[in-house]
Amino acid sequence: MAKITPKNLLKHNLNGKEEKKITLDNLAEMSSTDNVSDAMKNLYKTNGVVEGIKPISSSYKIVGRIRTAITDSGDWGTLIKAIYACNEDEILFVKCSDDTKAVWGEMASTAAKLHGLKGTIICGASRDTNEIIELDYPVFSKITRSNAGFALNEGAIGSDLFINDKIIKTGDVVFADCDGVVVIPQDKVDEVLAEVNNIKKFEDDCFAKIKKGQQLDEILNL
């Protein structure tokens, strides 16, 4: 048994269990996009959600720094170049002109996985769904479809993305899971993580009280 000292006493909760702080490294393991969206709502009155993008498999859950790319839906070649502009463990975040053609598939996923990317998020369309799932490379997109364009390489890599009311930059943090995609501006990461920790502690307290028989409306003072 580990010795409890004044230094580590604060790390233990009332049940004697050591509390593990949520950080960027364990965010996917210990939290969800729901918690992060709530944190941003509490702090900034914005939810951080990029609407309409979902994983091609509900099991996918990724957190990482973004590398941006923008392309016409008829040009998937830009994204092949973007793969090799990424650093290891980055997530390629793509804005397409529309979702009428797929810009990502099995071949791109294979190259991206071998290059060390954590995943690809596309505000547009992807294809080769079964093959990508078998490859176990996380892909998130607005829609899947069969048709694609050409390898033109006429887009841009690293530019700011303007999606609805959001500006998404290379270096921002994205958290994506089965519920959706949430982007944290890079200068807000520490504040958001602190609030996620507060939210998780509040939720844990609520669950403990519910299991002891207290009604949820009483807990929430409704």
Side-chain angles (χ1 to χ4, degrees):
M1 180 177 177
K3 182 179 179 182
I4 297 178
T5 66
K7 184 176 181 180
N8 65 24
L9 182 62
L10 293 176
K11 295 181 180 179
H12 290 71
N13 61 25
L14 295 177
N15 295 322
K17 296 180 180 178
E18 187 171 344
E19 294 181 352
K20 187 175 181 181
K21 185 178 180 180
I22 297 171
T23 66
L24 197 58
D25 291 334
N26 63 25
L27 183 61
E29 173 192 350
M30 297 186 63
S31 186
S32 68
T33 58
D34 308 345
N35 297 139
V36 173
S37 180
D38 285 350
M40 294 187 69
K41 174 188 65 179
N42 293 349
L43 292 168
Y44 315 118
K45 295 182 172 58
T46 181
N47 58 36
V49 174
V50 183
E51 298 289 347
I53 303 177
K54 290 295 180 71
I56 63 170
S57 170
S58 62
S59 65
Y60 293 155
K61 192 174 188 181
I62 55 174
V63 175
R65 297 282 177 178
I66 289 171
R67 177 76 56 174
T68 63
I70 186 167
T71 186
D72 186 88
S73 66
D75 171 20
W76 54 265
T78 295
L79 305 191
I80 303 304
K81 295 293 289 185
I83 291 169
Y84 301 105
C86 290
N87 297 319
E88 186 175 355
D89 288 334
E90 285 187 329
I91 295 170
L92 182 57
F93 200 114
V94 180
K95 180 185 178 182
C96 295
S97 58
D98 53 63
D99 56 17
T100 60
K101 300 179 183 68
V103 294
W104 192 270
E106 180 187 11
M107 193 176 297
S109 295
T110 302
K113 184 173 184 177
L114 289 171
H115 193 62
L117 275 68
K118 282 187 173 180
T120 299
I121 299 171
I122 307 161
C123 190
S126 62
R127 66 176 186 177
D128 298 331
T129 303
N130 289 334
E131 291 83 358
I132 295 173
I133 292 172
E134 185 175 350
L135 181 65
D136 194 28
Y137 178 78
V139 171
F140 296 70
S141 63
K142 296 186 75 171
I143 191 173
T144 59
R145 59 189 316 129
S146 299
N147 58 304
F150 301 93
L152 302 176
N153 189 27
E154 296 176 348
I157 301 166
S159 301
D160 293 352
L161 306 181
F162 297 85
I163 301 177
N164 298 328
D165 60 341
K166 295 173 179 61
I167 303 174
I168 300 171
K169 300 174 179 286
T170 291
D172 288 346
V173 169
V174 63
F175 189 178
D177 63 15
C178 61
D179 282 340
V181 175
V182 179
V183 174
I184 310 171
Q186 50 198 300
D187 61 339
K188 306 293 187 186
V189 172
D190 289 343
E191 290 178 342
V192 171
L193 287 173
E195 183 64 12
V196 168
N197 277 280
N198 293 335
I199 288 169
K200 290 295 289 185
K201 289 176 183 177
F202 172 76
E203 289 183 347
D204 289 346
D205 183 58
C206 287
F207 280 122
K209 290 177 179 178
I210 291 168
K211 290 175 182 178
K212 290 180 179 179
Q214 190 170 347
Q215 293 184 183
L216 184 56
D217 57 347
E218 294 176 353
I219 297 169
L220 299 176
N221 295 318
L222 298 177

